[in-house]
Amino acid sequence: MIKRFVIAFVLLVLIVGGLVGYNLFRDRMIRQFFANMPVQPVPVSTVVLEPTSWTPTIEAIGTVSAINGVDLTVEVSGIVSHIGFEANDHVEKGAVLVQLDDAIERAELAAAEARANLDQTSLRRAIELQRREVGTDVNVDSARAAAQVSAAAVEKARAALDQKQIRAPFSGVIGIPKVVLGQYITPGTIVATLQDLTTMRVDFTVPEQSFYLLEIGQPVRLGADGADGTPHTGIVRGIDPKIDPSSRLANVRAEVANPDGRLTPGQFTQVHVVMPEEGDVLTLPQTAVVTSLYGDHVYVVRPSDEGGEGVGEADADTGEAAALVVRQVFVKTGRRSGDMVEILDGLSAGDRVVTAGQNRLSNGAPVTLAEEGTQGAGGTAQAVMQ
């Protein structure tokens, strides 16, 4: 009985020992396999950092309005008898847009004119009698005063009659009618909006730091594109000489031509006040810069031995291209514009910088060039003043 137990125990030890030994051997072989397996290079997109021209801009958000725009209202009450426009008509200055019933005013004008004619006749008769030395100076003065009063009454009646008409104060595009025929309207009722869309103004604010960079006549570029795809351009027309103490912002007004009518009063738009161009500025796409808790950094492609003069140059002995790796380099960034950022420190001209695929990289990782580019060659970057 004891002999059988010993044999069973020995067999169990052999089986367990074999399983444990097999697992240890397997793990060791797996580790050796991965340790000796070459790391596959990561394909990355890169650009060669080169000096470029840089046009600084002051960016803001502005509100567009017509240089001449008004909501037309009535001055007196009355019943609408005629509407002389339709929505989106182009009307000329002085055109009658809305006519109110003016029968009473016309009658009052006719009465005032008749009274004025009678007073003028009486004045001429009094002057003639005075010339014949029959009338007195008092009669002439009284007749002259009565004639002046009646003439003023005529002007008052004509003004009241004119108030029954709404005329276009300037040429422009009229909006949707807000009244209908036969409607009784009171003073202050809005009839329609009239906008001159040929020239627009854009009101925006800039921070206190940029206030002293502004000048009257500086070029302005809007974010909204014209009909041909080009942005609308204009100039700075006005700068408030006061900075708001609560917001630390200054009000600025630009004037922009709108020949294609794409700009609409009331819309908001991006405003770029263009500053003088600068040269020899290093810029990169913003996708190349990685932001972390330790600062901004980029990945620069270099030969694996760090001794080559260029990236990917052929080896003198084998004729094969040298292996490439990436090095993490911390940089100091400056102004930004669109998808570009200014590099102030950390890189130099000629560095090849990774622009895509950084999430798969680490310091010293091997890479291959998926595509090549040159940042700054033959291009002009736009900068934002911050």
Side-chain angles (χ1 to χ4, degrees), residues 10-61:
V10 172
L11 291 175
L12 180 62
V13 171
L14 290 176
I15 293 173
V16 173
L19 291 175
V20 173
Y22 171 77
N23 288 332
L24 293 175
F25 175 76
R26 184 191 60 182
D27 293 342
R28 181 169 175 272
M29 296 303 295
I30 290 175
R31 286 195 299 268
Q32 289 182 353
F33 174 79
F34 284 106
N36 298 326
M37 186 178 65
V39 179
Q40 294 297 323
V42 179
V44 293
S45 300
T46 62
V47 295
V48 177
L49 188 61
E50 296 291 349
T52 183
S53 57
W54 182 264
T55 304
T57 62
I58 302 174
E59 281 197 355
I61 298 296

Short mmCIF file of all heavy atoms in Angstrom, two decimals, residues 10-61:
data_model
loop_
_atom_site.label_atom_id
_atom_site.label_comp_id
_atom_site.label_asym_id
_atom_site.label_seq_id
_atom_site.Cartn_x
_atom_site.Cartn_y
_atom_site.Cartn_z
N VAL A 10 5.50 10.13 -6.80
CA VAL A 10 6.60 10.40 -7.74
C VAL A 10 6.07 10.82 -9.09
O VAL A 10 6.55 11.75 -9.75
CB VAL A 10 7.53 9.16 -7.84
CG1 VAL A 10 8.54 9.36 -8.95
CG2 VAL A 10 8.24 8.93 -6.51
N LEU A 11 5.03 10.07 -9.57
CA LEU A 11 4.44 10.44 -10.87
C LEU A 11 3.85 11.85 -10.85
O LEU A 11 3.98 12.61 -11.81
CB LEU A 11 3.37 9.41 -11.24
CG LEU A 11 3.87 8.00 -11.58
CD1 LEU A 11 2.70 7.06 -11.81
CD2 LEU A 11 4.77 8.04 -12.81
N LEU A 12 3.18 12.21 -9.73
CA LEU A 12 2.61 13.55 -9.62
C LEU A 12 3.69 14.62 -9.65
O LEU A 12 3.55 15.67 -10.31
CB LEU A 12 1.79 13.65 -8.32
CG LEU A 12 1.11 15.01 -8.05
CD1 LEU A 12 0.11 15.34 -9.15
CD2 LEU A 12 0.41 14.99 -6.69
N VAL A 13 4.79 14.38 -8.93
CA VAL A 13 5.89 15.35 -8.93
C VAL A 13 6.47 15.51 -10.32
O VAL A 13 6.78 16.62 -10.78
CB VAL A 13 6.97 14.92 -7.92
CG1 VAL A 13 8.23 15.79 -8.07
CG2 VAL A 13 6.44 15.00 -6.49
N LEU A 14 6.64 14.38 -11.04
CA LEU A 14 7.19 14.47 -12.39
C LEU A 14 6.27 15.27 -13.32
O LEU A 14 6.71 16.08 -14.13
CB LEU A 14 7.40 13.05 -12.94
CG LEU A 14 8.52 12.24 -12.28
CD1 LEU A 14 8.56 10.82 -12.84
CD2 LEU A 14 9.88 12.91 -12.48
N ILE A 15 4.94 15.02 -13.19
CA ILE A 15 4.00 15.74 -14.07
C ILE A 15 3.99 17.24 -13.75
O ILE A 15 4.08 18.09 -14.66
CB ILE A 15 2.59 15.14 -13.90
CG1 ILE A 15 2.56 13.71 -14.44
CG2 ILE A 15 1.56 16.00 -14.64
CD1 ILE A 15 1.25 12.98 -14.18
N VAL A 16 3.90 17.57 -12.45
CA VAL A 16 3.89 19.00 -12.08
C VAL A 16 5.20 19.66 -12.45
O VAL A 16 5.25 20.78 -12.97
CB VAL A 16 3.60 19.14 -10.57
CG1 VAL A 16 3.76 20.61 -10.13
CG2 VAL A 16 2.20 18.64 -10.24
N GLY A 17 6.31 18.97 -12.18
CA GLY A 17 7.61 19.54 -12.55
C GLY A 17 7.74 19.75 -14.04
O GLY A 17 8.32 20.74 -14.50
N GLY A 18 7.20 18.81 -14.82
CA GLY A 18 7.25 18.98 -16.27
C GLY A 18 6.46 20.17 -16.74
O GLY A 18 6.88 20.93 -17.63
N LEU A 19 5.24 20.36 -16.16
CA LEU A 19 4.43 21.53 -16.54
C LEU A 19 5.10 22.84 -16.17
O LEU A 19 5.13 23.80 -16.96
CB LEU A 19 3.06 21.43 -15.88
CG LEU A 19 2.13 20.31 -16.37
CD1 LEU A 19 0.86 20.25 -15.56
CD2 LEU A 19 1.81 20.49 -17.85
N VAL A 20 5.64 22.89 -14.95
CA VAL A 20 6.33 24.12 -14.53
C VAL A 20 7.54 24.39 -15.39
O VAL A 20 7.81 25.51 -15.83
CB VAL A 20 6.71 24.01 -13.04
CG1 VAL A 20 7.58 25.21 -12.63
CG2 VAL A 20 5.46 23.93 -12.17
N GLY A 21 8.32 23.35 -15.68
CA GLY A 21 9.49 23.54 -16.53
C GLY A 21 9.13 23.99 -17.93
O GLY A 21 9.80 24.83 -18.53
N TYR A 22 8.03 23.44 -18.45
CA TYR A 22 7.59 23.83 -19.80
C TYR A 22 7.17 25.31 -19.83
O TYR A 22 7.52 26.05 -20.76
CB TYR A 22 6.43 22.95 -20.24
CG TYR A 22 5.78 23.42 -21.51
CD1 TYR A 22 6.39 23.21 -22.75
CD2 TYR A 22 4.56 24.10 -21.48
CE1 TYR A 22 5.81 23.65 -23.92
CE2 TYR A 22 3.98 24.55 -22.64
CZ TYR A 22 4.60 24.32 -23.86
OH TYR A 22 4.01 24.78 -25.02
N ASN A 23 6.44 25.74 -18.81
CA ASN A 23 6.00 27.14 -18.76
C ASN A 23 7.20 28.08 -18.64
O ASN A 23 7.25 29.14 -19.28
CB ASN A 23 5.04 27.35 -17.60
CG ASN A 23 3.68 26.71 -17.86
OD1 ASN A 23 3.27 26.56 -19.02
ND2 ASN A 23 3.00 26.30 -16.79
N LEU A 24 8.15 27.73 -17.80
CA LEU A 24 9.34 28.57 -17.66
C LEU A 24 10.11 28.64 -18.98
O LEU A 24 10.59 29.71 -19.39
CB LEU A 24 10.24 28.04 -16.55
CG LEU A 24 9.68 28.13 -15.12
CD1 LEU A 24 10.63 27.45 -14.12
CD2 LEU A 24 9.45 29.59 -14.74
N PHE A 25 10.26 27.49 -19.63
CA PHE A 25 10.97 27.46 -20.91
C PHE A 25 10.23 28.30 -21.96
O PHE A 25 10.85 29.04 -22.73
CB PHE A 25 11.09 26.01 -21.38
CG PHE A 25 11.70 25.87 -22.74
CD1 PHE A 25 13.07 26.04 -22.93
CD2 PHE A 25 10.90 25.59 -23.85
CE1 PHE A 25 13.63 25.91 -24.19
CE2 PHE A 25 11.46 25.48 -25.11
CZ PHE A 25 12.83 25.63 -25.28
N ARG A 26 8.91 28.19 -21.99
CA ARG A 26 8.12 28.96 -22.96
C ARG A 26 8.26 30.45 -22.73
O ARG A 26 8.47 31.25 -23.67
CB ARG A 26 6.65 28.54 -22.86
CG ARG A 26 5.74 29.21 -23.88
CD ARG A 26 4.30 28.96 -23.55
NE ARG A 26 3.98 29.51 -22.22
CZ ARG A 26 2.79 29.42 -21.65
NH1 ARG A 26 1.82 28.75 -22.28
NH2 ARG A 26 2.58 29.94 -20.46
N ASP A 27 8.14 30.89 -21.46
CA ASP A 27 8.27 32.32 -21.15
C ASP A 27 9.65 32.83 -21.53
O ASP A 27 9.80 33.95 -22.04
CB ASP A 27 7.99 32.56 -19.68
CG ASP A 27 6.55 32.28 -19.31
OD1 ASP A 27 5.69 32.23 -20.23
OD2 ASP A 27 6.27 32.10 -18.09
N ARG A 28 10.68 32.02 -21.26
CA ARG A 28 12.05 32.45 -21.60
C ARG A 28 12.21 32.60 -23.09
O ARG A 28 12.82 33.57 -23.58
CB ARG A 28 13.04 31.42 -21.04
CG ARG A 28 14.50 31.75 -21.30
CD ARG A 28 15.42 30.83 -20.50
NE ARG A 28 16.80 31.04 -20.83
CZ ARG A 28 17.46 30.43 -21.83
NH1 ARG A 28 16.81 29.53 -22.57
NH2 ARG A 28 18.72 30.69 -22.07
N MET A 29 11.69 31.69 -23.85
CA MET A 29 11.80 31.77 -25.31
C MET A 29 11.03 32.96 -25.87
O MET A 29 11.46 33.61 -26.82
CB MET A 29 11.30 30.47 -25.93
CG MET A 29 12.14 29.24 -25.57
SD MET A 29 13.90 29.44 -26.00
CE MET A 29 13.79 29.54 -27.78
N ILE A 30 9.86 33.24 -25.27
CA ILE A 30 9.07 34.40 -25.74
C ILE A 30 9.83 35.69 -25.48
O ILE A 30 9.87 36.59 -26.33
CB ILE A 30 7.69 34.40 -25.06
CG1 ILE A 30 6.83 33.24 -25.58
CG2 ILE A 30 6.97 35.73 -25.29
CD1 ILE A 30 5.51 33.10 -24.86
N ARG A 31 10.43 35.79 -24.29
CA ARG A 31 11.20 36.99 -23.98
C ARG A 31 12.38 37.16 -24.92
O ARG A 31 12.68 38.26 -25.38
CB ARG A 31 11.68 36.94 -22.53
CG ARG A 31 10.58 37.19 -21.50
CD ARG A 31 11.17 37.50 -20.12
NE ARG A 31 11.97 36.37 -19.64
CZ ARG A 31 11.48 35.40 -18.88
NH1 ARG A 31 10.20 35.39 -18.55
NH2 ARG A 31 12.26 34.41 -18.46
N GLN A 32 13.05 36.07 -25.20
CA GLN A 32 14.18 36.15 -26.13
C GLN A 32 13.71 36.55 -27.53
O GLN A 32 14.38 37.31 -28.23
CB GLN A 32 14.90 34.80 -26.17
CG GLN A 32 15.70 34.47 -24.91
CD GLN A 32 16.43 33.15 -25.04
OE1 GLN A 32 16.27 32.41 -26.02
NE2 GLN A 32 17.27 32.83 -24.03
N PHE A 33 12.54 36.06 -27.92
CA PHE A 33 12.04 36.37 -29.26
C PHE A 33 11.75 37.87 -29.40
O PHE A 33 12.18 38.51 -30.37
CB PHE A 33 10.77 35.57 -29.54
CG PHE A 33 10.10 35.93 -30.83
CD1 PHE A 33 10.58 35.45 -32.04
CD2 PHE A 33 8.99 36.77 -30.84
CE1 PHE A 33 9.97 35.80 -33.23
CE2 PHE A 33 8.38 37.11 -32.03
CZ PHE A 33 8.87 36.63 -33.23
N PHE A 34 11.07 38.42 -28.41
CA PHE A 34 10.74 39.85 -28.50
C PHE A 34 11.96 40.72 -28.27
O PHE A 34 12.04 41.83 -28.80
CB PHE A 34 9.64 40.21 -27.49
CG PHE A 34 8.27 39.76 -27.92
CD1 PHE A 34 7.65 38.69 -27.33
CD2 PHE A 34 7.61 40.44 -28.95
CE1 PHE A 34 6.39 38.28 -27.73
CE2 PHE A 34 6.35 40.03 -29.35
CZ PHE A 34 5.73 38.95 -28.76
N ALA A 35 12.92 40.22 -27.46
CA ALA A 35 14.13 41.01 -27.23
C ALA A 35 14.97 41.10 -28.48
O ALA A 35 15.62 42.12 -28.74
CB ALA A 35 14.93 40.41 -26.08
N ASN A 36 14.99 40.06 -29.26
CA ASN A 36 15.80 40.04 -30.47
C ASN A 36 15.04 40.51 -31.71
O ASN A 36 15.64 40.68 -32.76
CB ASN A 36 16.34 38.63 -30.71
CG ASN A 36 17.25 38.17 -29.58
OD1 ASN A 36 17.97 38.98 -29.01
ND2 ASN A 36 17.22 36.87 -29.27
N MET A 37 13.71 40.68 -31.60
CA MET A 37 12.92 41.09 -32.76
C MET A 37 13.17 42.56 -33.05
O MET A 37 13.06 43.41 -32.16
CB MET A 37 11.43 40.87 -32.49
CG MET A 37 10.56 41.16 -33.72
SD MET A 37 8.80 40.84 -33.39
CE MET A 37 8.50 42.09 -32.15
N PRO A 38 13.51 42.94 -34.26
CA PRO A 38 13.77 44.34 -34.58
C PRO A 38 12.50 45.19 -34.49
O PRO A 38 11.41 44.73 -34.84
CB PRO A 38 14.30 44.27 -36.03
CG PRO A 38 13.74 43.01 -36.57
CD PRO A 38 13.69 42.05 -35.41
N VAL A 39 12.65 46.45 -33.99
CA VAL A 39 11.53 47.38 -33.89
C VAL A 39 11.22 47.94 -35.27
O VAL A 39 12.11 48.45 -35.96
CB VAL A 39 11.86 48.52 -32.90
CG1 VAL A 39 10.69 49.49 -32.80
CG2 VAL A 39 12.20 47.94 -31.53
N GLN A 40 9.96 47.87 -35.67
CA GLN A 40 9.56 48.37 -36.97
C GLN A 40 9.53 49.90 -36.98
O GLN A 40 8.96 50.52 -36.08
CB GLN A 40 8.18 47.83 -37.36
CG GLN A 40 8.14 46.33 -37.57
CD GLN A 40 9.02 45.92 -38.74
OE1 GLN A 40 9.11 46.62 -39.75
NE2 GLN A 40 9.68 44.78 -38.59
N PRO A 41 10.15 50.52 -37.96
CA PRO A 41 10.12 51.99 -38.03
C PRO A 41 8.69 52.50 -38.24
O PRO A 41 7.87 51.85 -38.89
CB PRO A 41 11.00 52.32 -39.24
CG PRO A 41 11.82 51.09 -39.47
CD PRO A 41 10.98 49.93 -39.02
N VAL A 42 8.40 53.67 -37.67
CA VAL A 42 7.08 54.29 -37.78
C VAL A 42 7.10 55.30 -38.93
O VAL A 42 7.95 56.20 -38.95
CB VAL A 42 6.70 54.98 -36.47
CG1 VAL A 42 5.32 55.65 -36.60
CG2 VAL A 42 6.71 54.00 -35.32
N PRO A 43 6.19 55.17 -39.89
CA PRO A 43 6.14 56.18 -40.96
C PRO A 43 5.59 57.49 -40.43
O PRO A 43 4.55 57.51 -39.74
CB PRO A 43 5.21 55.55 -41.99
CG PRO A 43 4.37 54.59 -41.23
CD PRO A 43 5.22 54.08 -40.11
N VAL A 44 6.26 58.60 -40.71
CA VAL A 44 5.84 59.92 -40.22
C VAL A 44 5.91 60.93 -41.36
O VAL A 44 6.68 60.77 -42.31
CB VAL A 44 6.73 60.39 -39.05
CG1 VAL A 44 6.54 59.54 -37.83
CG2 VAL A 44 8.20 60.44 -39.46
N SER A 45 5.08 61.96 -41.24
CA SER A 45 5.14 63.10 -42.15
C SER A 45 6.01 64.18 -41.53
O SER A 45 5.94 64.43 -40.33
CB SER A 45 3.73 63.64 -42.40
OG SER A 45 2.90 62.66 -42.98
N THR A 46 6.81 64.82 -42.35
CA THR A 46 7.76 65.81 -41.83
C THR A 46 7.79 67.04 -42.72
O THR A 46 7.32 67.02 -43.86
CB THR A 46 9.18 65.22 -41.76
OG1 THR A 46 9.61 64.87 -43.09
CG2 THR A 46 9.22 64.00 -40.86
N VAL A 47 8.36 68.11 -42.17
CA VAL A 47 8.68 69.32 -42.93
C VAL A 47 10.07 69.76 -42.53
O VAL A 47 10.52 69.50 -41.40
CB VAL A 47 7.68 70.47 -42.68
CG1 VAL A 47 6.29 70.13 -43.19
CG2 VAL A 47 7.64 70.85 -41.21
N VAL A 48 10.75 70.41 -43.45
CA VAL A 48 12.06 70.99 -43.16
C VAL A 48 11.86 72.44 -42.75
O VAL A 48 11.25 73.23 -43.47
CB VAL A 48 12.98 70.90 -44.38
CG1 VAL A 48 14.31 71.58 -44.09
CG2 VAL A 48 13.21 69.45 -44.77
N LEU A 49 12.33 72.79 -41.56
CA LEU A 49 12.15 74.13 -41.02
C LEU A 49 13.08 75.10 -41.74
O LEU A 49 14.30 74.95 -41.72
CB LEU A 49 12.45 74.12 -39.53
CG LEU A 49 12.13 75.38 -38.75
CD1 LEU A 49 10.66 75.70 -38.82
CD2 LEU A 49 12.57 75.23 -37.30
N GLU A 50 12.49 76.10 -42.38
CA GLU A 50 13.25 77.11 -43.09
C GLU A 50 12.69 78.49 -42.75
O GLU A 50 11.50 78.64 -42.47
CB GLU A 50 13.17 76.89 -44.61
CG GLU A 50 13.79 75.60 -45.11
CD GLU A 50 15.30 75.59 -44.99
OE1 GLU A 50 15.88 76.67 -44.73
OE2 GLU A 50 15.90 74.52 -45.14
N PRO A 51 13.55 79.54 -42.77
CA PRO A 51 13.05 80.90 -42.52
C PRO A 51 12.03 81.30 -43.59
O PRO A 51 12.17 80.94 -44.76
CB PRO A 51 14.31 81.76 -42.60
CG PRO A 51 15.44 80.82 -42.37
CD PRO A 51 15.01 79.50 -42.94
N THR A 52 11.01 82.03 -43.18
CA THR A 52 9.97 82.44 -44.10
C THR A 52 9.54 83.86 -43.76
O THR A 52 9.88 84.41 -42.71
CB THR A 52 8.75 81.49 -44.01
OG1 THR A 52 7.77 81.90 -44.97
CG2 THR A 52 8.12 81.55 -42.63
N SER A 53 8.81 84.46 -44.67
CA SER A 53 8.24 85.78 -44.40
C SER A 53 7.02 85.62 -43.52
O SER A 53 6.28 84.64 -43.64
CB SER A 53 7.87 86.49 -45.70
OG SER A 53 6.97 85.70 -46.46
N TRP A 54 6.80 86.57 -42.64
CA TRP A 54 5.75 86.47 -41.62
C TRP A 54 5.03 87.81 -41.54
O TRP A 54 5.64 88.84 -41.30
CB TRP A 54 6.40 86.14 -40.28
CG TRP A 54 5.48 85.95 -39.12
CD1 TRP A 54 5.14 86.88 -38.19
CD2 TRP A 54 4.79 84.75 -38.75
NE1 TRP A 54 4.29 86.35 -37.26
CE2 TRP A 54 4.07 85.04 -37.58
CE3 TRP A 54 4.73 83.48 -39.29
CZ2 TRP A 54 3.28 84.08 -36.95
CZ3 TRP A 54 3.96 82.53 -38.65
CH2 TRP A 54 3.24 82.82 -37.49
N THR A 55 3.74 87.80 -41.77
CA THR A 55 2.93 89.02 -41.73
C THR A 55 2.10 89.02 -40.46
O THR A 55 1.08 88.32 -40.39
CB THR A 55 2.02 89.14 -42.96
OG1 THR A 55 2.80 89.06 -44.15
CG2 THR A 55 1.24 90.45 -42.94
N PRO A 56 2.51 89.76 -39.43
CA PRO A 56 1.73 89.78 -38.18
C PRO A 56 0.35 90.41 -38.41
O PRO A 56 0.19 91.32 -39.24
CB PRO A 56 2.57 90.64 -37.24
CG PRO A 56 3.92 90.71 -37.87
CD PRO A 56 3.71 90.60 -39.34
N THR A 57 -0.63 89.93 -37.70
CA THR A 57 -1.97 90.50 -37.75
C THR A 57 -2.53 90.59 -36.34
O THR A 57 -2.14 89.84 -35.45
CB THR A 57 -2.93 89.66 -38.61
OG1 THR A 57 -3.04 88.35 -38.03
CG2 THR A 57 -2.42 89.54 -40.04
N ILE A 58 -3.43 91.53 -36.16
CA ILE A 58 -4.21 91.62 -34.93
C ILE A 58 -5.58 91.04 -35.24
O ILE A 58 -6.29 91.53 -36.11
CB ILE A 58 -4.33 93.08 -34.46
CG1 ILE A 58 -2.94 93.68 -34.24
CG2 ILE A 58 -5.16 93.16 -33.18
CD1 ILE A 58 -2.98 95.16 -33.91
N GLU A 59 -5.94 89.98 -34.53
CA GLU A 59 -7.20 89.30 -34.81
C GLU A 59 -8.27 89.73 -33.83
O GLU A 59 -8.00 89.98 -32.66
CB GLU A 59 -7.02 87.77 -34.73
CG GLU A 59 -6.38 87.20 -35.97
CD GLU A 59 -6.59 85.69 -36.06
OE1 GLU A 59 -7.14 85.10 -35.10
OE2 GLU A 59 -6.18 85.11 -37.07
N ALA A 60 -9.50 89.82 -34.35
CA ALA A 60 -10.64 90.20 -33.51
C ALA A 60 -11.90 89.66 -34.17
O ALA A 60 -11.89 89.19 -35.30
CB ALA A 60 -10.71 91.72 -33.34
N ILE A 61 -13.00 89.73 -33.44
CA ILE A 61 -14.32 89.40 -33.95
C ILE A 61 -15.11 90.69 -34.07
O ILE A 61 -15.24 91.44 -33.10
CB ILE A 61 -15.05 88.41 -33.03
CG1 ILE A 61 -14.25 87.10 -32.94
CG2 ILE A 61 -16.45 88.14 -33.55
CD1 ILE A 61 -14.14 86.36 -34.25
#
